[in-house]
Each structure stands twice: as structure tokens, then as C-alpha cells.
Amino acid sequence: MSAAPPVHASGVAADAATRAEAGEQRGRARVTPQQVTAVVPVVLFVVLFVVMIVVQGTFSGSLLQTVLETTVPLILVGFGQTLVVLTGGIDLSVGGIFSLVTALVATKMTHNGDVATWLPLVLLIGLAAGAINGLLIVRTKMQPFIVTLASWSVFSGLALLALSTDGGSVAPGLSSTLSGSWIVPKAAVVTAVVIVVWLVLRRTRFGTNVLAIGSSEPSARLNSVPVARTKILVYALAGLFTALGAVYYSSVLTFSGSPTAGDTFILQSVAAVVIGGASLAGGRGNMIGTILGACSLSMIAQIVFFAGAESYWGQLVQGILILAAVLLFATVELLIRRRNPASAEEA
Amino acid sequence: MSAVPAPASERRSRFGQTGWRRRQLVIAFAWILMILLFVVVSLFEPGFRSNTNIRSIVDQSMILGIVGLGQTLVIICRGIDLSVPAMMGVSGVLLARHGTTTGDVVGALVLIVPIAIALGLVNGLSVALLRAPAIVVTLATNTLLLGALLVTTNGATSQTGGEPAKLFRTLSTGHIGPISVSGLVWIGIAIVAVALLAGTRFGRHVYAIGNNPVAARMSGVPVIRTVVSVYVVSSLCAALGGLLLAGYLNQTFPDMGSDYLFTSIAVVLIGGASILGGTGNYLGTIAGALTLSILGGVLAILNLGPAYMRILYGVLIFVTVGLGTLLARRGGRST
Amino acid sequence: MQDDSHQARGQTDAWDLQALEMRKSYGKVNALDGATLRARYGEVHALLGENGAGKSTMCKIVTGSVRPDAGELLLDGRAISNGSVGEAMRHGIGTVFQELSLLPDLSVAENMFIGGGEPRGRTKLVDRRAARRRTDEIFDELGIEGIDPRSAAGSLPLAQQQLVEIAKVIARKPRILILDEATSTLPRQDVLWLFGIVRRLRDEGAAVFLISHRLREAFELADRITVFRNGADAKTGTTDEFTEATLVEAMLGRELGVETERRPAPAAAEVRLEVRELNVKNRVRDVSFELRRGEILGLAGLQGQGQTAVLQALYGWTRHDGEVLLDGQPIDVRTPRRAIRSGVALVPEDRRTQGLALEMSIRDNLTLPTLRRQLGFGNLISPAREERFAEHLAKSLNVKAGSLEDDVASLSGGNQQKVLLGKVLSLEAKVLLFADITRGVDVGTKADIFALMRELTADGTSIVFYSSDSMELIHMCHRVAVMFDHTIACVLEGDEITERNIVQASVSGRIATSEEVKV
């Protein structure tokens, strides 16, 4: 056992100026992209919530509950999308899986259908569909965008086979169980569960691996991260949570099915993730942001509704909001990169 | 930097092709697939090769081919344009509105062209200048523009009528003797597009940016200007597509372009372009557009609904992109 | 060609790690062609060789990131299979990679434990506070200062990232440590620090492999040296069996004809480029210099003192303040496009990411910056004119290619470098900026590049030549500006240009006899 090494290393020891600069930067409280992306969704949520109270004229605890209730499907789909985006991918097939599961719920889980068999089965179908995406991405080395674009087409075709037009009905038993009054508001329960699952994931090896892959896939490989296995699992989970969202959607919100219900969730889920501050390049983002982003999107629709305007005003405002958010984040990132060019460009 | 250099022999595919030939092969494959499909179907269903049917295939694919031209340019530049459907809806609806009130094509274009240019500028500047992800930017502008259109029209469907409809109806469905007008228009546009990509500075810049944006900038390529132009061209193509679609359908509604979100990307991918940018060719996109229309015709003959169409589209993308990936990997690059 | 007869086969039992008769080919290229490597615990073993000699591939096999086509890997006398980096890790093999393997968006603490061993709480979940504490302890133990375990790894300066990388591997107490060009981004002081740690590990019984381009580091640290050539081990022995000359000879397989003739500085020539008070935020401070017609000005200094940034600024690649004059007239170099138009051109450091469009043809690459000159009818490129131009360039630079239609990716590294040079030279710039373009280039191409530089200066072109190899600067430059602390500390001329002076100025900012720079 020998003593400590003779010299100390700081990486910048050789020049005092850089060290001084580093100190100066620390003193000036540098703004990181992470901080901006953490604050924006919170501010947005609060502002929209206040606007909603003003528009509706009253405040009650049930207001938040109403918001959550309509947002739960998007939160669930957004959970899967967040995981996928964190790995640096994108999942367009959530639209197809959502439609397929909705169609199955409305045709197989009717009042004379076998709910006990079909409920686990549709969840399994979601899981399997996602796993197929993951397998194709990992095995064929095709881009996630292409694989999920094609599988969206296939899954939504299957949805049309199961249910050719809007309609069908959900078993009253299932609907009343899920939508009946619980002791604790069920939307809050689902949201809380999603948050807990996220917090636990974040502190497991799997969670770190997800972030590692999105941060830099080659480096992750060099650090013996099981890239293929993690990715397949991520897409499978995305499929499962999309299926959960679809079950909730059709049995609590619409009581019927639509073979094209999922298509709006593609844009909505990606938008929720982006407004929530995740980077589409991967490695950065979190579930809380996505939940706030999802709530913000559905609050816009509700504000428009309460204000008595036609629903397409909501679409206009959502478009403006998404564009503003993505441009804001891009600008912040650009400014920070410009302010501190050393780390980014010399590499 | 002491990695093993990869000399020529390693990069050659099993067929001995270098990258250039490999890319030609992928495009040739798209054409072979399309022609094969046509021939096989014609054998079973002689009516399929009738002049009328061929004309209707060309009519349908021309609109897709024109929208796909913009998408081809954007994808070669490492981007994606998902704002195509809204632009098509805007141009179609505005054409109809203007047509019914004043019967003035020029009056409609005076509105449509600036909107298309503005959309392209917003998309292009966001992507090129602010480096925002193209997927989200164009999805957002799509939502925004569609929302604005719905707000201004109260979501109404309107019939086209009067002068403008006739012009675009002729352009999209008319025929001179046995030759379809749309085919002639498309051939004209295709010649310009192929020449633009293969034979001009602009085209070379587009490929260079898609291939390596840093190297392109270092070589003095005007990156931002080129990328912005590409998005503007894409919006203009979508606007033209919307006008022709209005003529083809003889009616307009805000959502009329929604199918083109998927199909405009599909034809580019089937045509052999890589979503990673840098490769692709308009000839491939033409083959892709024709393939999709023929496939639609086949499903109509077999009396199969849109469900099968969607499934087949998906499978087709898997097969063609998968094949391209396979070729590329033999050639040393993963797509 | 089998070349391992120099090692007695009966001796095998005396070695702790053996990689025997390794073969690995990529396509038709044999990266390793029956190479053998043997090492003992308690020894530092340097692997030297030209680029593509096979030393890196050999290391990657030992590390588990590359699977050999044939060959046997023995650890402690037993055959092991290294299917993955993780498996190698379990065998106690740790590698500090040449390309950083840090995950930029994860915190330093998370990076320290990415491969495993993170502290866990009672719930089996990762205990982040403990992970941070443990990271601090490891840094303390190794003598690393001033790195916050909570900060994102990607936000640290490059040299600090390298330190984290080193700490991460050493914290796992590897029995076999591989340093794959780990020193290339470190300032000299940190290199010495690393060597201290390596010596300690060696004394505690670890086997250490050192891959470095700097011969000096091998002599400083290694107990044993193996020289690789053409995918096989060419020569191996203890360090004292080698001299610098015999090492170079072994690497090249022939004797090196040393050419030290240097032409006198063209002092009489008129000033071509004048740079006044160039500043780049955080990277360059008040740099001013003059460059004469036909002159080669060297840029020396430790890594990261702003050499690259000066060149990038002059080419409009980074935002900067200051005045740049060409032939006495102020010029606009705010973007590469404007720099080119003003008569300044840069050959970038990394041809693959900055220089070439690899999936485009050789012709397309060669003519990309000069397309305006290839135009025929209207705005259309004239294929004939372009072909002639490209062929002329390729011939004059001696690019070896089957057809100019082939992708640049199909060329060897040296030929790619020539295409890059040809592309930049075709701009016929008055001032050329060379950013460490000889790093990672084989000796033959290097000689070609040097000859070309001489030719260019004879025709009146002026060159700013940044190189991380001071011998090259001594060999090529009329004057050498040494950068220290993000500015030019002193300019060496004539007989002052010696390795000793360059190194001294690099670490201290001055030499005994130096004249201070004119500001």
C-alpha cells in the first residue's frame, strides 16, 4: 500500500485562467437546460389551471379531479412514450395499439363478453405489440421512426378489422367498476401509481440503463449496458401502458370503441413528452414533466369548452403551445451551448 | 484514431457494388416491385391494364407524387415534414372559398402561396436556425394551421365550383385523347425535380447536408438557406397537392389531406431514401407513389377494405426499408 | 507471416495473461494476423505501432469489445472467452477507452457506477446520496479535485471528463488495466498524475497495458514494450532493450531517414495575414500575430490551450471578436462561407465528422466547395467539366481509387485525408489553416502532406499549422507560436525552435531567451 499519488489532478490544473473562469461560472449560478425544462411545465400547468378557474368562475377540488380524469389515458400513453423518448427513440405505433385495444374492448368485453379473459388478454396484446416493435428495432437496425410508423399502419389496420366503424359497447360491469365512485378518486390513484412506478424505475439499474442508452448508445455499450434487452423492454412497456390507457379510455370515458381513437394520441403523447421537457435526442426528461404536459394539453380543451368556444379553438391553441414550447427549449439549449462552447465543441 | 482503416474491399457489398451502385439498386428495386405488381395483377384481371384504369392510377399517384417530392427533399436533408396535411387542407379549402365567391384562381393563389411560404419558413427556420427537432416542429405547425383553418371556416365542407375547380379538375383528372393530363404534368415536374437534385448546386448541397451537415458547412455550403428552402419547397408542393386534390375530389374539407401524413412519407421510404438523410432520389419516390396507387386498385378489385390497405402499407414499408437496410449493411452502413 | 518465434514457447507458464495467435479480419483486411501478446502482473506493458498495426484491435479483444476470428486468450493459465465488456470486467479487466465512454446526460456519480456496484439501500433501490459520497471518497483517494459528483458528465471540460473516466475504471480495482490512448487529451501535469496512479497499481500487482503515440511516455512508464506491425507483434522486450531509434525502426520495419533541413524564414516577404486581438469566449484570449507570404507558422502548446479554437475562429466556425486583415485589408470571417470567400481555408481535424460526406462519391466531395466553377448551362453542373476538375485534383494528390464514382467511405484513411486536402486546396486560398491533420495518419501520407505543404509555400501560400506533435513543428515551421493559458505566450524563431523550448514554453508560458510577443 503506497501513499497518495504525488500530484493532484483537476483537469484544468495547468492553467489558472480556466480555473478562475470555472469558479466565476459557478458563482454566477449557471442555468442548465435541465433547470429550464423542469420549470416550464410547472409554470405552464399553474397558469392554465388559474385560467381555467377564472373561465369557470369557481374553484373546487373536483376541478383538478376532472382534469386528471380526462387526462389519464394520455398520462398512461405518455408514460410509455417518455420511456421510449428517453432511449432516444420515438413510438408512433401507440396510435395503432391504442386503436386496436379500444376496438377489442368494445367488441369482446361487451355485456355478454368474457371480461375476465379478455382484460388480461388485451393487456398482453399491447405488451406483445410493443415487444415486436422493440425486437424489430433491435434486430433489423431499422430506425424506431420507420418501424413504429409501419407498425402503426399494421396495428390500426387490425383495429379496423376488429371494429370497422365507431361503435360497440363496453360491459356495464367493467364500466361501472372502473367509473363508479371509489373512495379515493381513481384518476388520482392512477396518476399516483404512475409517479411511484417512475420514481422506483429511476432508481433501478433498468432506469439508469434507459437514460444511459439515450445519452449515448455507443458509450452505454462500452459500459456493458444490455442495450438490446433494455430497448425491447422499453417498447414492450410502452405497448402495455398504451393498452392500459386504451382500456381506461373506452371503459371510463367513452363507453364504446373507435378503430381510429388512437391516432390523436400519437401527436398528443409526443407533445406531452416534449412540453414536459424531455429531449427527443434522448437521455433527458422525466415523467412528472410528461404528466404536467399531458394535463396542460387537456386543460386547453376544457378551457375552450368552458369558455363556450368551438372545440377547434383548442386545436389552434394546442398547436401554438407545442410550437412555443419546442422553440423555447431549442433556444435555451442553443444559448447555453453558445455560452459554454468548450465542453460541447472541443469534444 | 488508431482504429483499423476500412479499405475499399471491406465496404463493398456481396455483389461488389460500391455505395453509388447500391443506391441505384434500391431505386431499381422499387421500380421492379411496382412493375411486377402491375403485371401480375393485369394477368389475373385484364381490365386492370385498360387505359382508363392506368389513367386513374396515374391521376391518384400524381398528387401523392407531388406531395412526396417535397417530402423527398426534406427527408434527404435529415428532416421530416408532418405539416403536409394541414397545408393541403388550407390550399384546397381556400381555393374553393375563393372560387365560389369570385371565381378567381389568381386570387386564391395570392392567399395560398404566401401561407405556404410562411409555413415553410417557420418549419425551416425552427429546424435550421434553432435546431429544434423537425418531428415536433412540423407536428405543431400542422396542428396550429389546421386549427386556424377550422376556426376560420367553422369546420365546414365546401364544394368547389366555378373557374378554379375546372382548371384543377382538368389538371388532375382530365385527358387529351388517351393521355392523361396529370401524367403530362407529373412528367414535367419530375424532369425538373430530377434535374434539380442531380444536376444543380442546390441539389448537391441538399445531399451534402443530409450526409454530413458539419462537413457541408465547412465546405462553404449555405446550410441554413438550403434547409429553409427545402421546407418552403415542401410546403409549396403540399399546397399544389391540395389544389389538385380539391380538383380530383371535387370537394374540399379541412381534413382532406390527413391520409398524406402517412403516405407521403411511405412513398419516399419505399422509393429507397434513408430516414437518416443523405440518400434518396425522386425517381424512387415516383415508383413508390405508383406502387401505393396500384396496391389501392388491387384491394378495390379484391373488395378488401381500408383495414387491409393499412396492413399492406405497413408490411410494404417493412419489406422495402428492410431490404434497403440489408443491402446497406452488406455495404457497411446501418440504416 | 508468423513473427512470434522470438518468444520461446516453453516459457508460456511464466505469463499471467496471454493472447495467442490472434486473428481478426474486417472484410478482406486483416487487422490481426496471428498476433501474440503476453503480460505479467506487476508490469506496465506499452504497446506501440503505427496506425492500423493492430495494437488497438488486440486491446479490444482483451477488453471484450471485439471477438477474434481465431486465437486463444489465457488468464492465469486458463482459457477465457471474452464475449462482452461486462464479461471482461468480471475477469478483472478494466479499460480506459480512447473515445470517452462517459454518458453525458448522467451525473458523474451515476457514471461511476454504471457498470455495476452502485450502493443500494434497504429497499434494494439505488441510494443516490451514498453513491455521491462514495464518488467523493474515490476522488479524494485518487487526488482528483474540483469535480462535483452531481454535475452532468457532459457539462465538464474534456480533461475533467477524462479524469472521471480514469477514476471510474480504477475504482473497480482491475487486475488488468488497459489505457487505450487515455493520455491524449490530458495536460502534461495530469499525465504525470495518472502515471503516479498507474505505478501504484502496478506495485500493488496489477498488469497495465499502455497504448500511446508518444514514445516518451512508453520510456517513462513501461517495464516492457511490444511493437506491432502489420497485424502481428513485430518485436517485444523489456524497455531497456530499446532505444528511440530501434523502436521507430521496429515500428516502420526499416530505418528512418531523418530530414531536418529547414528553410530560412522568409522575413523579407510581405505580411499576408494579420490577426489583432482575437478573442473567443472561454477559449482564446487576446491572440495577435502576423503571417508572411510563403510562411509556415506553427501553433504549439498543451492540449486545450486554444490552438484549435484560434483556427476555428479564423475560419468562422466559432463566434469571436477581433480583427483579421489579409494583405492589409480587413476581411470578414464570421462564417466558413465568408472565410472561404475572403481567401482563408481550413483543413479540419477530424475528416470523418468534420471534413467529408462519407456516403457521397469522391467526385462529389472534391467539387463540393467549388461547384460554382463547375457550372455549365444556366445553373446546371456540367458533368464533363466537373469530371475533369475532379480527375485533375485526384491525380495531383495521388488519390488511389477505383473510380471517382465510389463513395469516399470506400477509401482507406490516408486516401480519405488526401480527398479532404484536395477539396480544401482547390479553393486556392491565400491562407491555409491546418488543424492537427497529421494526427492518426500513417507515415507515408504524412510525408506526402509535408511535401505538399512545402510546395504550397513555395508558391506563396501561407500556412498556420497546428500540430500536437512538436517534432513535426520543428521539422516544418519557420516560426512556432506556443500557446499557454489560451493566448500566445511566445513565438520561437530560427534556432530557438527546439523541443526543449517548445515544451518549456508550453508548461510555463516562457523560455529563458524568448522575446515577448508583439501585441
Side-chain angles (χ1 to χ4, degrees), chain C residues 483-512:
Chain C
M483 292 198 66
F484 180 76
D485 209 3
H486 303 276
T487 192
I488 293 179
C490 62
V491 179
L492 307 173
E493 283 181 57
D495 293 339
E496 289 175 335
I497 308 178
T498 63
E499 192 171 25
R500 189 178 164 278
N501 279 346
I502 291 178
V503 170
Q504 194 184 352
S506 300
V507 297
S508 66
R510 61 185 68 242
I511 58 167

Side-chain angles (χ1 to χ4, degrees), chain B residues 1-2 4 6-8 11 18-19 23 199-201 204 208 211-212 214-215 217-220 222 225 333, chain C residues 29 51 56-57 98 315 317 337 346 352-354 356 359 364 369 371-372 380-381 386 406-407 410-411 423:
Chain B
M1 289 287 283
S2 65
V4 183
R11 297 277 175 169
T18 58
R23 291 191 283 274
T200 66
R201 240 156 49 94
R204 205 60 75 71
N211 215 291
N212 187 343
V214 179
R217 180 156 182 258
M218 299 297 287
S219 307
R225 196 201 304 160
R333 185 199 187 194
Chain C
V29 181
N51 291 304
S56 249
T57 310
Q98 173 187 4
Y315 194 56
W317 199 2
R337 241 175 112 65
L346 169 94
R352 300 181 74 88
T353 61
Q354 302 163 352
L356 296 168
E359 308 276 318
D364 288 357
L371 282 173
R372 200 182 293 275
L380 290 171
I381 298 164
E386 190 189 15
D406 286 351
D407 278 11
S410 71
L411 295 176
K423 179 177 122 172

Side-chain angles (χ1 to χ4, degrees), chain C residues 378-453:
Chain C
N379 216 15
L380 290 171
I381 298 164
S382 152
R385 186 175 298 179
E386 190 189 15
E387 195 68 30
R388 263 200 313 277
F389 189 84
E391 253 168 31
H392 171 74
L393 264 183
K395 198 176 283 173
S396 65
L397 277 144
N398 198 17
V399 177
K400 292 188 191 73
S403 151
L404 292 184
E405 284 299 325
D406 286 351
D407 278 11
V408 166
S410 71
L411 295 176
S412 69
N415 276 311
Q416 287 184 6
Q417 194 76 334
K418 286 178 189 169
V419 172
L420 175 57
L421 267 170
K423 179 177 122 172
V424 176
L425 294 185
S426 73
L427 291 167
E428 291 166 5
K430 291 176 180 165
V431 174
L432 282 171
L433 312 168
F434 285 11
D436 213 5
I437 56 166
T438 47
R439 193 170 64 180
V441 162
D442 60 275
V443 174
T445 309
K446 214 181 256 192
D448 285 352
I449 292 174
F450 289 162
L452 196 67
M453 285 169 75

Side-chain angles (χ1 to χ4, degrees), chain C residues 364-377:
Chain C
D364 288 357
N365 270 282
L366 282 172
T367 58
L368 184 60
T370 51
L371 282 173
R372 200 182 293 275
R373 276 193 260 156
Q374 323 300 340
L375 297 183
F377 176 71

Side-chain angles (χ1 to χ4, degrees), chain C residues 132-159:
Chain C
R132 285 202 290 271
R133 231 179 10 244
R134 183 82 197 94
T135 305
D136 269 333
E137 284 165 21
I138 293 167
F139 285 174
D140 278 349
E141 200 182 316
L142 294 174
I144 296 173
E145 289 173 338
I147 298 179
D148 184 349
R150 278 170 307 182
S151 46
S155 69
L156 300 177
L158 208 54

